[in-house]
Amino acid sequence: MDPGLFDVKGADVAWCPGCGNFSLLNALKKALAELDVRPERLVMVSGIGQAAKTPHYLRCNFFNGLHGRALPAATAIKAVNPELTVIVESGDGCMYGEGGNHLIHAIRRNPDITCIVHNNMVYGLTRGQASPTSLRGFKTPAQAAGVLHEPFNPLAVAIALNASFVARAFAGDLEETKEILNKAIRHRGFALVDVFQPCVTYNRVNTYQWFREHTYYLEGSHDPTDRVGAFKRALETDKLPIGVFYVNRKPTFEENLPLYRERLEPLSRRGAKMDRIVKLIETIGKS
């Protein structure tokens, strides 16, 4: 499939020139094209932020909701129609800050959705405040003395919660990012992909060069089924590993629902059984 099938003609893109969002958008288009995901079968869900604008620039169905509230909506969409490809895409502030609680419980429920987080270690939409992943000492107009707190480690948290799929990518490496997104979308279950994505305007510390100097790719010998080993790699800070850290195949949220145990066909195609609906309404009315 041609990745250009996902282009939105004439889109007025609000991102700064050089923003890592562009590369990540291209990587996603390529991954979707390789997987032959049709735009009409794709639903993108996002919250608030520059990263959350991604679905605006991708030809697909999308839901753009409240700050940090993308995951509950995505879970519901997938539960209503398990045949859809559902992808959540947002930034580190939206997903790890405002949406942190939803992330924890989405990992527990394990819906079959892919969660792509643009991690630029800053709030770009609101002009440069520290985000949950900003490193200690990072100075901003709001944190003039530097960030005091320990940065949030999304990979370690996800692995500790026994997530289904945990990976990290770097938007500066288009092909490698495309490959990781490809694996995440193909994975059945909740797939978290944290993507280092430089903000060229509001983060002059964690630049493309900084990420190249402070990251490396996991070796081919890394075993993604080894949970303890994956957790140890997620704790590394001298140099930050990139790749697929952990894969844990287990039943999804949809597969655990009684109505989908026999088949994943959406309810809308099964036909309404009015006698059972009337009986249910009567039972509720008597209770």
Side-chain angles (χ1 to χ4, degrees), residues 11 48 106 203:
I48 298 297
N203 188 339

Side-chain angles (χ1 to χ4, degrees), residues 1-275:
M1 183 189 295
D2 180 3
L5 190 64
F6 295 95
D7 291 345
V8 176
K9 307 297 183 188
D12 182 16
V13 180
W15 296 332
C16 303
C19 176
N21 287 343
F22 288 102
S23 176
L24 187 42
L25 176 62
N26 288 332
L28 179 60
K29 288 179 181 177
K30 287 176 176 285
L32 291 168
E34 284 187 359
L35 294 171
D36 202 28
V37 177
R38 306 292 303 179
E40 62 270 22
R41 307 300 297 169
L42 171 65
V43 182
M44 297 289 297
V45 187
S46 64
I48 298 297
Q50 292 291 7
K53 295 176 181 175
T54 300
H56 302 187
Y57 313 135
L58 196 72
R59 183 166 165 258
C60 63
N61 307 286
F62 76 86
F63 178 85
N64 196 188
L66 299 174
H67 209 356
R69 305 297 186 263
L71 286 169
T75 302
I77 291 167
K78 186 69 181 183
V80 169
N81 188 345
E83 295 182 350
L84 296 172
T85 297
V86 180
I87 298 175
V88 170
E89 191 156 352
S90 214
D92 47 296
C94 187
M95 194 59 62
Y96 303 147
E98 287 80 0
N101 189 47
H102 292 304
L103 175 66
I104 289 171
H105 295 289
I107 291 172
R108 290 179 55 240
R109 295 186 181 104
N110 195 34
D112 183 22
I113 62 178
T114 302
C115 180
I116 303 169
V117 185
H118 298 222
N119 185 357
N120 55 21
M121 305 178 181
V122 75
Y123 279 89
L125 182 70
T126 49
R127 304 191 173 188
Q129 299 87 359
S131 84
T133 56
S134 296
L135 301 178
R136 274 184 171 174
F138 179 65
K139 293 183 179 180
T140 78
Q143 288 84 20
V147 173
L148 302 175
H149 311 300
E150 188 78 22
F152 180 71
N153 186 329
L155 277 61
V157 170
I159 296 168
L161 290 169
N162 207 18
S164 189
F165 182 101
V166 182
R168 177 189 282 149
F170 169 48
D173 294 338
L174 178 62
E175 286 302 313
E176 290 82 354
T177 298
K178 182 260 297 179
E179 286 299 319
I180 291 172
L181 294 180
N182 188 312
K183 291 177 182 176
I185 297 168
R186 277 192 285 124
H187 178 80
R188 184 178 289 277
F190 186 82
L192 174 66
V193 185
D194 182 76
V195 186
F196 288 146
Q197 172 264 307
C199 174
V200 295
T201 300
Y202 296 110
N203 188 339
R204 302 299 178 91
V205 175
N206 307 114
T207 61
Y208 284 95
Q209 182 179 351
W210 187 92
F211 281 117
R212 292 200 184 283
E213 292 174 351
H214 292 81
T215 60
Y216 73 98
Y217 281 87
L218 290 169
E219 309 83 6
S221 57
H222 173 70
D223 178 8
T225 66
D226 177 2
R227 186 182 179 191
V228 174
F231 188 75
K232 289 180 179 176
R233 304 305 289 266
L235 296 180
E236 293 182 12
T237 55
D238 288 341
K239 277 208 166 187
L240 302 164
I242 292 174
V244 177
F245 283 65
Y246 184 55
V247 177
N248 170 31
R249 303 189 190 284
K250 57 184 179 180
T252 67
F253 173 73
E254 305 81 46
E255 290 168 340
N256 281 326
L257 295 176
L259 58 91
Y260 290 128
R261 280 179 186 164
E262 293 184 2
R263 64 185 194 278
L264 287 174
E265 183 184 24
L267 295 179
S268 60
R269 287 215 306 271
R270 297 189 192 182
K273 297 180 179 177
M274 293 307 299
D275 56 330

